[in-house]
């Protein structure tokens, strides 16, 4: 390997190390309401949720026929909430950062951009 090739490769390696990576999480908190199996009202939350990955909301998503409601996006990313699990289905709604939805909006999964 010539000195010039070595210098170019070393320079490229330094650039890769110096460049910041893309964010892998939304900063902040995502909240939602749900009813427990005992009939109590509760609030679930996700702190600094992963970006680009579907998250099924628990515990409501694990109980057949139940859904969470009233999502509030207090993160710095857009949250797309779905009525279906695994971020599937035609029923979805996008919440911009700092926005919330009414108690009527039912959700079972969410993905952050």
């Amino acid at each position: 390997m010539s000195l010039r090739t070595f210098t170019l490769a070393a320079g490229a390696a330094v650039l890769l190390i110096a460049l910041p990576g893309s964010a892998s999480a939304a900063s902040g908190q995502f909240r939602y309401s749900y009813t427990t199996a005992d009939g109590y009202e509760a609030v679930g939350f996700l702190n600094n949720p992963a970006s680009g990955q579907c998250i099924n909301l628990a515990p409501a998503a694990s109980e057949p026929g139940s859904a969470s409601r009233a999502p509030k996006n207090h993160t710095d990313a857009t949250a797309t909430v779905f009525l279906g699990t695994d971020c599937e289905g035609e029923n979805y709604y996008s919440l911009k950062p700092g926005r919330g939805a009414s108690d009527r909006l039912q959700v079972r999964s969410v993905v952050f951009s």
Side-chain angles (χ1 to χ4, degrees):
M1 179 178 343
S2 71
L3 179 60
R4 180 171 191 225
T5 305
F6 178 76
T7 303
L8 287 173
V14 168
L15 279 175
L16 287 175
I17 293 170
L19 291 175
S22 62
S24 63
S27 295
Q29 189 177 74
F30 178 81
R31 293 177 165 242
Y32 56 96
S33 299
Y34 65 95
T35 304
T36 67
D38 295 328
Y40 296 106
E41 294 298 311
V43 175
F45 56 90
L46 304 170
N47 289 321
N48 302 319
S51 296
Q53 297 177 5
C54 181
I55 302 169
N56 286 324
L57 301 176
S62 63
E63 297 175 19
S66 64
S68 299
R69 63 190 170 283
K72 295 183 179 28
N73 183 16
H74 298 293
T75 73
D76 62 354
T78 297
T80 303
V81 295
F82 293 80
L83 179 57
T85 57
D86 301 321
C87 299
E88 294 180 352
E90 296 178 9
N91 296 318
Y92 64 90
Y93 187 80
S94 293
L95 291 170
K96 292 183 180 181
R99 296 292 178 105
S102 76
D103 285 347
R104 296 183 304 166
L105 183 61
Q106 295 185 342
V107 297
R108 288 188 175 90
S109 58
V110 61
V111 64
F112 295 87
S113 58

